Amino acid sequence: MPRKTKADGAPRTAKAADVPRKAKASDVPLKAQAGGGSRKAETGGRWPRRSGWLKALVAVVVCGTAAGGLAVYRTVSDEAAERPVTTDEAGRLALSRLNLYQASPVAVAVTADEGGGVSIRVEGVVDYRNHRGVGRYRTTGASGPLDHGLIVWDTGGLGLAPEPSAGTAASGTGGPGTGSASSAAPDAPAWQQAEHIPRQGWSPRGYTADPLDAGLNLLVQLGADRPDNPLLLGQSGARWLGRDRIDGRSYDRIAGPRAQGAAPDGARSPLTYWVDGDGGLRRVTMRMPGLGTPTTVEFTGRQPDAKLPEAPWLTG
């Protein structure tokens, strides 16, 4: 479960034709710095060290590198087999980050398997214009629910706070040392509850290499204010894996480009993207070393009314 420390609108969807074909990889600034460290699972074991792997993975996101790789195919010869992406598929993948940015704020859900029968699910909202997210987390073990609360995160780390109960919201008090608690109803959206929790009510920390932290760190940086370079995506190993339907809509399943150090030479990228015909991103999965179940990120629609709090937490 998340570890706690002491508290101290819809613009048009871009089209593939809008993608500049001569953009540089440096056009997409990424500032991710995944934290090191690891945490013991309930079984008493210790996660493999992943800090270097995560830095390489988050640094690439969906931006390709200029070194080597296969050229983008213009035609499809075998729809049933894994293959390099076509020009159209690379263009839509390149647009997916820009489309997320333009759709902000967006509803998201993250599911992470922490090992030992423990899983964590976060449901919330991310605004890619300020790279912040807020939501609720639920931790479940083999015997049932273990923990729940509010969670906020940005590019530097995350913060946790107790979820206000019905009695707390009604009385307007948050208990000793927490200041006034949320005046929002217990069933109010997480972003409404979070903006009423005082700074001292949050337990902040930097990112670790655990699956949930890696997923949140990746998630908050997926949106960008410009498209990626589609030629570099194809040259860096992006591959078409198949086509799936989610909620009645068709999506291409695409393995992202390979980041140096994040996948062995010739191996598939740990990141897989589900992209629709307009370059809309619906799902991303991240395979973690030592875990059989990937961390999953879902994008479930726009949340135009959401107003994320002005960083009431301190991270890092």
Side-chain angles (χ1 to χ4, degrees):
M1 66 190 68
R3 291 186 296 174
K4 302 181 182 179
T5 62
K6 288 186 178 179
D8 242 65
R12 70 178 180 88
T13 299
K15 298 180 179 179
D18 296 335
V19 182
R21 294 296 176 179
K22 298 183 180 180
K24 297 180 180 179
S26 57
D27 288 342
V28 185
L30 293 176
K31 301 179 181 179
Q33 291 295 327
S38 57
R39 180 167 51 161
K40 288 184 178 180
E42 285 190 350
T43 58
R46 183 172 292 274
W47 296 124
R49 293 188 63 83
R50 308 189 184 100
S51 57
W53 179 87
L54 284 172
K55 287 179 181 179
L57 181 59
V58 175
V60 74
V61 188
V62 293
C63 179
T65 61
L70 296 170
V72 181
Y73 282 2
R74 293 184 178 276
T75 60
V76 177
S77 59
D78 185 359
E79 284 292 321
E82 176 182 332
R83 53 168 173 73
V85 292
T86 65
T87 300
D88 175 71
E89 289 157 358
R92 287 187 281 117
L93 181 61
L95 285 170
S96 62
R97 300 181 69 201
L98 174 62
N99 287 336
L100 269 183
Y101 181 92
Q102 292 180 333
S104 292
V106 293
V108 299
V110 182
T111 305
D113 179 4
E114 296 285 310
V118 176
S119 65
I120 304 176
R121 182 172 176 83
V122 174
E123 295 181 352
V125 177
V126 171
D127 192 336
Y128 286 105
R129 289 176 170 81
N130 56 25
H131 294 282
R132 292 194 189 120
V134 60
R136 291 184 175 89
Y137 72 87
R138 297 284 186 273
T139 306
T140 305
S143 59
L146 298 176
D147 192 18
H148 66 91
L150 298 178
I151 184 168
V152 289
W153 68 99
D154 56 18
T155 56
L158 58 87
L160 305 172
E163 194 168 359
S165 64
T168 299
S171 64
T173 60
T178 63
S180 60
S182 170
S183 60
D187 58 350
W191 59 267
Q192 287 185 352
Q193 293 186 343
E195 68 180 353
H196 293 290
I197 293 179
R199 185 181 297 273
Q200 63 267 33
W202 294 100
S203 297
R205 64 171 173 81
Y207 286 120
T208 72
D210 290 341
L212 177 66
D213 289 33
L216 294 176
N217 194 3
L218 173 72
L219 168 60
V220 81
Q221 299 182 76
L222 278 174
D225 62 359
R226 66 195 71 188
D228 288 317
N229 186 322
L231 295 180
L232 294 184
L233 292 180
Q235 292 170 356
S236 301
R239 297 184 65 81
W240 183 89
L241 304 179
R243 187 170 290 113
D244 299 321
R245 293 189 68 81
I246 304 174
D247 296 332
R249 190 174 180 86
S250 181
Y251 294 86
D252 287 300
R253 180 165 26 96
I254 300 174
R258 293 187 298 267
Q260 184 175 3
D265 291 342
R268 185 186 299 171
S269 167
L271 296 176
T272 302
Y273 303 84
W274 278 255
V275 183
D276 69 15
D278 298 318
L281 191 59
R282 178 62 173 79
R283 176 185 294 163
V284 179
T285 60
M286 178 195 299
R287 299 194 313 276
M288 304 285 291
L291 290 176
T293 303
T295 296
T296 301
V297 174
E298 302 269 1
F299 298 94
T300 56
R302 297 192 63 233
Q303 293 284 300
D305 296 330
K307 297 179 180 178
L308 275 67
E310 291 295 327
W313 66 96
L314 296 175
T315 58

